[in-house]
Amino acid sequence: MSSPDGRFGSPPYLIEAHRDCYEQIHWSNMGEENPVRDRLLPRLRTGGVDLVVYAVGGDTLAHSNGRDKKLLATIENIESLAGYLSQADDAGVVRSASQIPDEPDDRVRFLLHLEGGTPLEGSLLALDALFELGVRSIQPTWNVRNELGDGVQERDTRSGLTRFGVQVVQRMQQLHMVVDLAHMSETAFWHTMEVTEGVVVVSHANSRAVYDHPRNLTDRQVEAIAERGGVVGIHTLPTFVGEGKPGIDELFRHVAHLVDVAGVEHVGFGGDFVACDGPRPGREQLFHDPRVEPPTIEGLSEAHELPNLVDALFGAGLDEDSVARILGGNFRRVLREILPR
């Protein structure tokens, strides 16, 4: 398998806009000295990934090592990651726009993220404290309801953000953090759009017009993200791609439709690979049975297989500039616009 760089005149800056820290937690529990250095970073480098948005906490029990202490677990995950990265060559955490280079420099960067606001424990001071620890991106919700608002599993209630949720997203924008609307109920999505300004993103979702799944976005939502200058990152989990065992070609149908609706400058790569995550707690509320290994797209099971996606994008007729934008150029533009200077 060739590196993604081989298809370009100059190497693209590749951003994986969503990855969970489940693998870090799992292999640490199994006694491994440094799973980030020894497992994750080699795959990211093989795939050409330059920056990964890394969920170090959130609403899921998997983020908190099966415990209900979400804030404590988030702090532990951040500190563990810092320790792992201190033992790795050419890897670190991004805190500001100035730390994102113009082109690849052989350094893998981690942008710290929360997949749901439960770790905030109802406190804006907790938000400020996590910002000081390096968190720069938050999804207000995961699938379920929390203190900020309704996730997609609560969509039938037609409820949006709570008063605390409104305070959080507005404070996030004051701090120059990324507001990520992935996993939100559609009502909460539109409520967030009403109470925020400027660029927002959906880090990992596909098109509902291509495949009708509640985690995917309507064309109207995609258009709204684009109008605000944001980006939608395509999602690799087959559950959100199509029926049966969809492949890379079916994933490209989502790419093509999103480009048609929003323009190529508003489409990115979300990732959310699950093949190497490790087992999740049995009482986790997911769309799939947590006792069953989640399916993957053949040829795109993890970051090391990203050259196959590059081949598919070029094979479908996209030009070099468009492919580079989708792989990371668009998310890099957004991060540089949002993050603190």
Side-chain angles (χ1 to χ4, degrees), residues 133-269:
L133 287 174
V135 175
R136 293 294 182 268
S137 174
I138 298 179
Q139 294 168 218
T141 75
W142 182 56
N143 291 333
V144 295
R145 174 177 291 162
N146 63 20
E147 290 177 290
L148 283 71
D150 275 3
V152 69
Q153 282 186 337
E154 299 291 340
R155 60 193 176 278
D156 293 338
T157 66
R158 303 191 183 281
S159 181
L161 295 175
T162 63
R163 284 178 290 179
F164 178 61
V166 172
Q167 292 175 330
V168 166
V169 295
Q170 292 178 341
R171 178 60 178 154
M172 285 176 63
Q173 292 202 314
Q174 291 171 356
L175 291 169
H176 298 278
M177 299 177 73
V178 178
V179 177
D180 182 354
L181 308 188
H183 283 272
M184 299 188 81
S185 71
E186 192 168 347
T187 305
F189 173 99
W190 290 113
H191 190 183
T192 307
M193 296 295 280
E194 290 173 8
V195 300
T196 59
E197 298 178 350
V199 179
V200 294
V201 307
V202 173
S203 60
H204 56 302
N206 291 327
S207 167
R208 202 179 301 177
V210 174
Y211 182 62
D212 189 7
H213 188 285
R215 269 280 284 111
N216 290 339
L217 301 177
T218 66
D219 285 355
R220 184 165 165 251
Q221 288 175 296
V222 173
E223 289 169 350
I225 293 290
E227 288 170 1
R228 296 271 289 264
V231 179
V232 176
I234 59 170
H235 198 311
T236 64
L237 191 63
T239 306
F240 312 128
V241 176
E243 295 286 352
K245 297 181 178 180
I248 294 178
D249 288 344
E250 284 80 9
L251 181 62
F252 180 77
R253 291 180 57 218
H254 290 274
V255 175
H257 186 79
L258 291 171
V259 168
D260 285 343
V261 172
V264 72
E265 64 271 27
H266 300 290
V267 182
F269 178 71

Side-chain angles (χ1 to χ4, degrees), residues 26-219:
H26 172 67
W27 291 111
S28 176
N29 288 341
M30 297 298 288
E32 291 200 1
E33 178 187 356
N34 193 328
V36 173
R37 178 194 64 199
D38 300 335
R39 287 180 177 269
L40 175 55
L41 283 171
R43 288 198 310 276
L44 294 177
R45 289 185 173 118
T46 299
V49 176
D50 298 290
L51 186 151
V52 57
V53 180
Y54 196 61
V56 291
D59 291 1
T60 78
L61 289 166
H63 284 118
S64 60
N65 203 11
R67 300 173 297 168
D68 291 312
K69 297 182 178 181
K70 305 293 176 60
L71 177 56
L72 174 60
T74 300
I75 295 170
E76 291 175 341
N77 293 338
I78 292 171
E79 292 304 305
S80 294
L81 177 65
Y84 293 145
L85 293 178
S86 71
Q87 301 172 19
D89 295 331
D90 301 323
V93 172
V94 170
R95 290 172 173 263
S96 67
S98 62
Q99 293 175 321
I100 303 175
D102 292 331
E103 57 188 30
D105 59 359
D106 297 321
R107 184 173 182 82
V108 179
R109 291 166 170 82
F110 289 72
L111 190 142
L112 305 187
H113 173 78
L114 295 186
E115 190 168 27
T118 300
L120 302 180
E121 296 187 357
S123 169
L124 288 178
L125 290 178
L127 172 63
D128 288 355
L130 289 172
F131 177 83
E132 291 299 319
L133 287 174
V135 175
R136 293 294 182 268
S137 174
I138 298 179
Q139 294 168 218
T141 75
W142 182 56
N143 291 333
V144 295
R145 174 177 291 162
N146 63 20
E147 290 177 290
L148 283 71
D150 275 3
V152 69
Q153 282 186 337
E154 299 291 340
R155 60 193 176 278
D156 293 338
T157 66
R158 303 191 183 281
S159 181
L161 295 175
T162 63
R163 284 178 290 179
F164 178 61
V166 172
Q167 292 175 330
V168 166
V169 295
Q170 292 178 341
R171 178 60 178 154
M172 285 176 63
Q173 292 202 314
Q174 291 171 356
L175 291 169
H176 298 278
M177 299 177 73
V178 178
V179 177
D180 182 354
L181 308 188
H183 283 272
M184 299 188 81
S185 71
E186 192 168 347
T187 305
F189 173 99
W190 290 113
H191 190 183
T192 307
M193 296 295 280
E194 290 173 8
V195 300
T196 59
E197 298 178 350
V199 179
V200 294
V201 307
V202 173
S203 60
H204 56 302
N206 291 327
S207 167
R208 202 179 301 177
V210 174
Y211 182 62
D212 189 7
H213 188 285
R215 269 280 284 111
N216 290 339
L217 301 177
T218 66
D219 285 355

